[in-house]
């Protein structure tokens, strides 16, 4: 939303029309960049609402894929923070200063209303950092959404941690049990095969987008 003092009119002179909708290209509008954007698409909603007092309201939906640096050392009990930074590098602060209209708490409640399914991640917090990015010649307005997410570990506990602990407890029970040596060897081979198969499955499930491997994969 922004104001243009050159696009005003008196509604009484135009049949009490106080609002019009025009294509986005009919007037100037800021071009915004998402810095962490990898790919995505803009949905077709290229219209601007213009009020009689010169207020412009533009809604532009985006569906994007972002980059995020993960720390999965504590997987599956990890908490991640991802940034979504929006700036307009075509307009320096002398021409355009971007401000957030809603408070972080209001945006948090609004964001939670869009989460229709309970997936692997739990959306825990949303904070906003306003800053300025300086280049060699100009300074630009940037605001960053810091999104905090917590992984739901119950699936990995039931399918991964408990079976692994059960295999190793069975391994120790067989090793120190009173059975004959031949029975111990056959059971140990079966446990080794089960552990190997679990390691193959573990290699496919564990996230790889991190500089350090998770503890559960190391040990």
């Amino acid at each position: 939303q922004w104001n243009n003092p050159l696009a005003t009119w008196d509604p009484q002179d135009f049949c009490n029309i106080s609002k019009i909708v025009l294509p986005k290209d009919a007037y100037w509008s800021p071009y915004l960049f998402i810095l962490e954007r990898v790919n995505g698409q803009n949905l077709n909603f290229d219209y601007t609402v213009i009020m009689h007092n010169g207020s412009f309201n533009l809604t532009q939906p985006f569906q994007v894929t972002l980059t995020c640096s993960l720390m999965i050392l504590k997987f599956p009990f990890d908490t991640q923070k991802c940034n979504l930074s929006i700036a307009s590098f075509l307009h320096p602060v002398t021409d355009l200063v971007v401000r957030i209209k809603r408070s972080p708490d209001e945006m948090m409640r609004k964001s939670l209303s869009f989460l229709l399914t309970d997936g692997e991640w739990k959306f825990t917090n949303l904070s906003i950092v306003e800053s300025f990015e300086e280049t060699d010649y100009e300074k630009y307005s940037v605001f960053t959404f810091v999104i905090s997410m917590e992984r739901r570990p119950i699936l990995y506990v039931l399918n991964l941690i408990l079976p692994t602990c059960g295999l190793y407890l069975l391994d120790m029970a067989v090793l120190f049990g009173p059975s004959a040596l031949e029975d111990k060897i056959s059971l140990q081979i079966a446990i080794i095969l089960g552990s190997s198969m679990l390691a193959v499955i573990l290699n496919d499930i564990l996230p790889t987008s991190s500089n350090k491997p998770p503890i559960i994969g190391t040990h």
Side-chain angles (χ1 to χ4, degrees):
Q1 180 181 5
W2 66 95
N3 292 325
N4 185 349
L6 302 179
T8 60
W9 70 89
D10 189 354
Q12 296 181 355
D13 297 336
F14 297 94
C15 301
N16 292 324
I17 297 175
S18 60
K19 178 178 68 174
I20 59 175
V21 179
L22 293 177
K24 186 179 67 173
D25 298 335
Y27 277 91
W28 175 90
S29 61
Y31 187 79
L32 299 178
F33 297 88
I34 300 178
L35 304 186
E36 294 84 4
R37 175 174 176 173
V38 177
N39 56 36
Q41 60 181 350
N42 300 349
L43 304 182
N44 295 324
F45 193 78
D46 298 331
Y47 290 92
T48 305
V49 178
I50 306 175
M51 306 298 294
H52 70 280
N53 58 359
S55 175
F56 282 64
N57 290 272
L58 174 64
T59 300
Q60 183 61 61
F62 292 96
Q63 182 177 356
V64 297
T65 301
L66 307 177
T67 58
C68 182
S69 179
L70 300 181
M71 294 296 297
I72 57 172
L73 184 65
K74 299 180 180 179
F75 174 87
F77 305 99
D78 53 329
T79 301
Q80 307 293 342
K81 288 186 177 181
C82 293
N83 293 338
L84 192 155
S85 303
I86 299 179
S88 182
F89 289 117
L90 296 180
H91 311 289
V93 293
T94 54
D95 300 332
L96 175 67
V97 177
V98 183
R99 290 286 182 259
I100 304 298
K101 185 178 180 180
R102 296 185 176 96
S103 64
D105 294 337
E106 185 180 357
M107 298 185 69
M108 177 72 179
R109 292 192 299 270
K110 187 73 173 178
S111 300
L112 288 174
S113 66
F114 288 105
L115 296 178
L116 303 181
T117 58
D118 291 332
E120 180 182 356
W121 293 98
K122 179 182 178 182
F123 187 28
T124 57
N125 190 29
L126 174 66
S127 59
I128 301 173
V129 178
E130 298 187 33
S131 61
F132 295 97
E133 183 75 21
E134 295 188 12
T135 62
D136 295 337
Y137 304 102
E138 298 286 354
K139 184 167 67 170
Y140 302 91
S141 178
V142 180
F143 59 95
T144 303
F145 298 95
V146 182
I147 304 168
S148 299
M149 300 175 294
E150 182 181 351
R151 195 189 302 269
R152 290 186 172 94
I154 184 65
L155 181 65
Y156 296 98
V157 171
L158 295 177
N159 294 339
L160 187 61
I161 297 179
L162 290 182
T164 305
C165 294
L167 279 175
Y168 285 109
L169 289 175
L170 181 61
D171 185 25
M172 289 186 291
V174 170
L175 183 63
F176 297 103
S179 303
L181 181 60
E182 293 79 7
D183 296 334
K184 288 183 180 181
I185 293 176
S186 61
L187 285 175
Q188 289 281 2
I189 292 175
I191 292 173
I192 290 174
L193 290 176
S195 301
S196 303
M197 183 59 65
L198 190 61
V200 172
I201 298 173
L202 176 65
N203 187 54
D204 294 334
I205 326 179
L206 291 181
T208 56
S209 56
S210 177
N211 295 328
K212 295 181 180 180
I215 294 178
I216 191 174
T218 306
H219 299 283

